[in-house]
Amino acid sequence: MKLKIAYSTFFATLFFTVTLSAQYNQTNGDGAEITSYRPFEVATDYANFSKCIMPSAGAQKACFTDKLQELFNENLKMPKDSISQNFNGKVYFNFFTDDKGELESTEIFSRPETKFIGEKIDVVLKKLPPLKVVQLKDTAVSTGYVLYAKFTPEEPIRLKVVDIKVSKENLKENEKEENDVPFVIVDDVPVFPGCEDMAISSRRSCFQNKLGKHIAKHFRYPEEAQELGIEGRVNIMFLIDKDGFVKNIKTRGPHPLFELEGRRIFTKLPRMTPGKVKGKPVRVPFSIPLTFRLN
């Protein structure tokens, strides 16, 4: 696998272009394993079915998935001849609930040959009951869910939640940190492990070099994205907090497969020495676009 990597300094922006396909060996046909990314471990606060509010996080996760599968299996039946040479029965889709727990929007990542199943998914999601919303700092927040579905004629639908996005837009004023300092202007940049012995003047370039190597090492072009022949660019936002931990990883891209890959890569970043201004630790935000391109 070869990667072309170019750097610019603003927010340590990096551009990665895949020029050869890579293997991604964590997919299978029933949705049991799509990615090593574990959304329920990262997003512990999310809107859930009222009957699924339980003390155990694991029980809440299992209950949410079970209730959602029940909704789909009760309201969607696949025709016998629906799985064709052009449709393998696998679909990605997402839905968002508002701060009242009611369905706000849906998006089906279907192709022309799978448009029929996209329409059926949309009809089922409109039957979703209001969910019990999560309260963060006494403020209700909205939740987005990205799901993988495996449809097989005359068999139960299999669902897997592959990403959860809890919106904190209405908490911005409460959570705003005056000392968030961009990488390009912070006095002392965060120190990536292995850059500690570098001269202070060299640590910025060392950080960029180490981050680039980390992405190149962990990058995998999703196998299913290769099969579908899809490409695209994902914007990944995150910050290194005052304790050196990578936090608030957010992604925005054209397909969940690419967003998941970006999230997986950046959750593997190590703890770092935090950035500093006048000797005091500060949070340093980053924005990095990853371009997935088949050649």
Side-chain angles (χ1 to χ4, degrees):
M1 179 178 68
K2 295 180 180 179
L3 298 176
K4 294 180 180 178
I5 303 174
Y7 299 89
S8 67
T9 56
F10 186 68
F11 288 138
T13 302
L14 315 179
F15 293 86
F16 294 81
T17 302
V18 183
T19 56
L20 292 178
S21 63
Q23 293 301 310
Y24 191 65
N25 57 12
Q26 291 183 317
T27 60
N28 65 23
D30 63 4
E33 277 294 348
I34 302 302
T35 174
S36 58
Y37 180 70
R38 299 285 181 264
F40 287 100
E41 293 178 9
V42 177
T44 55
D45 297 312
Y46 53 90
N48 204 339
F49 293 90
S50 298
K51 294 181 179 179
C52 295
I53 306 303
M54 308 169 182
S56 166
Q60 289 194 72
K61 166 191 171 182
C63 182
F64 178 85
T65 303
D66 288 346
K67 291 293 183 185
L68 202 57
Q69 285 194 151
E70 287 176 13
L71 180 72
F72 271 82
N73 283 307
E74 289 172 0
N75 294 280
L76 197 161
K77 302 298 179 185
M78 295 292 290
K80 288 183 179 180
D81 60 351
S82 58
I83 306 301
S84 65
Q85 194 172 18
N86 294 325
F87 176 44
N88 59 12
K90 295 184 285 187
V91 176
Y92 289 85
F93 64 96
N94 64 31
F95 69 91
F96 292 83
T97 58
D98 60 20
D99 57 9
K100 296 182 178 62
E102 298 178 351
L103 184 68
E104 185 174 53
S105 63
T106 64
E107 184 175 11
I108 318 297
F109 297 91
S110 59
R111 305 177 299 285
E113 65 271 21
T114 61
K115 184 178 180 181
F116 76 99
I117 192 63
E119 294 171 346
K120 290 177 179 293
I121 290 173
D122 191 58
V123 170
V124 174
L125 288 174
K126 288 178 180 178
K127 297 178 181 292
L128 187 75
L131 302 182
K132 185 173 178 58
V133 299
V134 64
Q135 296 276 339
L136 297 179
K137 294 188 177 181
D138 298 322
T139 302
V141 297
S142 58
T143 307
Y145 307 85
V146 182
L147 295 104
Y148 164 94
K150 173 64 176 178
F151 298 93
T152 304
E154 301 184 310
E155 289 186 18
I157 297 167
R158 304 289 296 275
L159 292 178
K160 182 177 178 63
V161 179
V162 294
D163 205 356
I164 300 174
K165 301 177 180 181
V166 178
S167 174
K168 299 182 180 180
E169 294 300 314
N170 49 350
L171 298 180
K172 278 186 174 179
E173 292 304 315
N174 295 331
E175 293 190 341
K176 187 177 180 181
E177 291 275 350
E178 293 182 359
N179 56 355
D180 279 7
V181 183
F183 182 83
V184 69
I185 63 173
V186 65
D187 292 350
D188 297 324
V189 299
V191 181
F192 206 104
C195 298
E196 296 90 345
D197 296 332
M198 301 288 292
I200 294 178
S201 60
S202 300
R203 287 180 179 174
R204 196 180 304 272
S205 60
C206 183
F207 179 98
Q208 292 178 316
N209 183 49
K210 290 285 187 181
L211 183 58
K213 288 182 177 180
H214 171 89
I215 296 174
K217 176 183 177 181
H218 293 284
F219 180 88
R220 301 288 185 275
Y221 205 110
E223 183 178 306
E224 190 169 344
Q226 295 179 59
E227 294 172 358
L228 296 172
I230 58 176
E231 301 176 325
R233 189 174 82 166
V234 176
N235 290 317
I236 300 167
M237 291 74 71
F238 67 97
L239 62 82
I240 298 174
D241 70 11
K242 296 177 182 179
D243 296 313
F245 291 105
V246 174
K247 295 285 185 68
N248 296 357
I249 300 173
K250 299 179 181 179
T251 56
R252 186 174 302 153
H255 197 284
L257 285 166
F258 295 145
E259 291 197 56
L260 285 168
E261 178 60 15
R263 298 281 284 272
R264 184 187 68 83
I265 292 170
F266 284 84
T267 56
K268 292 180 176 292
L269 281 171
R271 184 180 182 182
M272 307 181 198
T273 302
K276 297 179 181 179
V277 171
K278 296 181 180 180
K280 294 184 178 181
V282 294
R283 306 196 317 176
V284 180
F286 294 81
S287 177
I288 299 176
L290 297 184
T291 299
F292 292 77
R293 183 174 300 162
L294 291 166
N295 186 9

